[in-house]
Amino acid sequence: MASALLKLREASKAFSPTEKEIAQHILDNPKIVEELSVHELAKQTFASPSTIVRMCNHTGYSGYKEFRKAVIHELILREQNKKEEQKQLQRSDTLEDIIDKITYKNIMSLEDTKNLIDRDVLKQCLHMIDQARFVYLFGMGASLCAAKDAYLKFLRMNKPCMVNEDWHSQLLQARNATKDDLGIVFSYSGNTVEVIECMKALKLNKTPIIAITRCVASPVSEMADQKLYTTANESLFRSGAMSSRISQLNIIDILYAALANEEYDKSMDQLSKTHIHKPDEGDEKENS
């Protein structure tokens, strides 16, 4: 189930001025939806109940009642996640504690990211990848790991693509991109300066952009044509970019599997063709 607040924020780009003001009021303080009826919210935002209902319709809900229920459910999940944040690593943790906490954190990150996936957006991203002449991949630091993983997977699918470790090389590939190509950028923060510079070059060339980034307003999110969101939670050990990296890799796995599934037989032939035989596999066959 996609985030109600995320859907509201994304849909608000096409809202009327009054609807945008209501949406921003809710996004600034989501708890008011839990506390106020549609008439009370209308009074607080100097709008009419019918305008609020119309805003909910434009967000994909039948009315304020359904929207309110979705927001309350999301707020409950957020509260649960805050409680889990208390399970951060402590100086006194044993090795067993560390194993449990890191594993749990990664599992929660995957669950949260799954709930943020918009199926329609995912389908559009798959179409963009399929139609692209060439796929350029961008990322720095830990996000570069995800970009490299995408490179290897697209390569197995015989999708022309490129990734560079050096930022200057990434900027050059962005400047060489065309409207027939595709840029996929990875940035957990959404504020990575190097990635933003590459995106500016892509925009100048009218190259479509998919961003894999956290679910918050950011320059990366604003500049992308399509967004695949990862969880906005990260542990105190942020420099390790642990759970965010796991979320990014999970999205790549989903894209890879979905692309392969669209032309299943052809994909299986391609994956078999690009499989690199390992000596141990031959030994196993001989012994079987």
Side-chain angles (χ1 to χ4, degrees):
M1 180 178 66
S3 160
L5 296 173
L6 169 61
K7 289 171 69 175
L8 179 65
R9 196 181 80 207
E10 290 297 306
S12 66
K13 297 172 184 176
F15 285 173
S16 68
T18 303
E19 290 173 344
K20 283 183 179 179
E21 288 184 15
I22 299 168
Q24 192 58 54
H25 191 67
I26 293 172
L27 291 170
D28 290 341
N29 182 20
K31 280 188 174 293
I32 62 171
V33 175
E34 183 179 13
E35 299 165 353
L36 304 178
S37 68
V38 64
H39 293 282
E40 291 169 334
L41 180 59
K43 184 177 180 180
Q44 190 173 111
T45 56
F46 304 101
S48 66
S50 60
T51 301
I52 294 175
V53 172
R54 189 163 54 248
M55 179 200 72
C56 295
N57 294 156
H58 293 161
T59 307
Y61 297 95
S62 60
Y64 182 71
K65 184 177 180 180
E66 185 184 14
F67 172 71
R68 185 169 183 255
K69 183 179 178 181
V71 172
I72 290 173
H73 177 70
E74 184 173 343
L75 292 176
I76 291 172
L77 291 178
R78 285 189 179 187
E79 192 61 33
Q80 290 176 346
N81 286 338
K82 284 182 181 179
K83 291 179 180 178
E84 295 302 335
E85 286 294 316
Q86 296 173 6
K87 294 185 178 180
Q88 297 287 4
L89 295 176
Q90 306 292 329
R91 184 189 298 273
S92 59
D93 283 345
T94 64
L95 185 57
E96 286 73 20
D97 291 333
I98 293 172
I99 292 171
D100 289 342
K101 288 183 177 182
I102 294 301
T103 301
Y104 179 82
K105 184 72 176 177
N106 286 337
I107 290 172
M108 288 302 299
S109 177
L110 292 174
E111 284 290 340
D112 290 345
T113 297
K114 182 186 76 170
N115 291 332
L116 289 173
I117 293 176
D118 185 314
R119 273 60 175 174
D120 292 332
V121 170
L122 183 63
K123 288 177 183 177
Q124 292 177 47
C125 290
L126 291 169
H127 179 72
M128 291 167 71
I129 295 170
D130 181 61
Q131 295 299 307
R133 179 187 68 92
F134 205 94
V135 178
Y136 293 99
L137 302 159
F138 304 86
M140 303 301 296
S143 292
L144 180 59
C145 296
K148 287 182 177 179
D149 186 65
Y151 170 75
L152 291 172
K153 285 185 167 62
F154 290 155
L155 205 59
R156 287 207 66 187
M157 295 294 294
N158 197 28
K159 186 68 191 182
C161 55
M162 179 184 294
V163 63
N164 279 290
E165 294 191 18
D166 176 67
W167 173 61
H168 288 162
S169 299
Q170 289 191 24
L171 185 57
L172 288 176
Q173 69 186 35
R175 290 177 176 176
N176 286 329
T178 72
K179 62 181 178 60
D180 298 319
D181 300 320
L182 173 67
I184 302 181
V185 303
F186 299 81
S187 172
Y188 169 75
S189 69
N191 294 296
T192 310
V193 175
E194 295 87 347
V195 169
I196 291 170
E197 286 301 310
C198 290
M199 292 180 77
K200 289 178 181 177
L202 291 170
K203 298 298 279 186
L204 285 174
N205 291 336
K206 295 181 171 56
T207 306
I209 303 172
I210 296 172
I212 298 178
T213 185
R214 66 175 178 158
C215 180
V216 296
S218 70
V220 166
S221 180
E222 284 296 317
M223 293 176 69
D225 297 293
Q226 296 294 344
K227 282 82 68 176
L228 291 172
Y229 289 112
T230 64
T231 178
N233 298 327
E234 186 56 273
S235 70
L236 293 177
F237 283 61
R238 176 65 190 96
S239 58
M242 293 182 287
S243 59
S244 58
R245 187 190 68 249
I246 295 293
S247 297
Q248 289 176 338
L249 292 173
N250 187 57
I251 287 179
I252 292 303
D253 286 347
I254 291 170
L255 288 172
Y256 172 66
L259 282 170
N261 197 54
E262 287 188 343
E263 294 186 72
Y264 187 84
D265 292 333
K266 180 180 177 181
S267 297
M268 291 304 103
D269 289 340
Q270 178 63 27
L271 293 177
S272 176
K273 176 183 175 181
T274 55
H275 175 70
I276 299 175
H277 175 74
K278 302 174 183 64
D280 289 347
E281 294 176 358
D283 295 341
E284 289 177 4
K285 290 179 180 178
E286 289 176 6
N287 294 330
S288 60

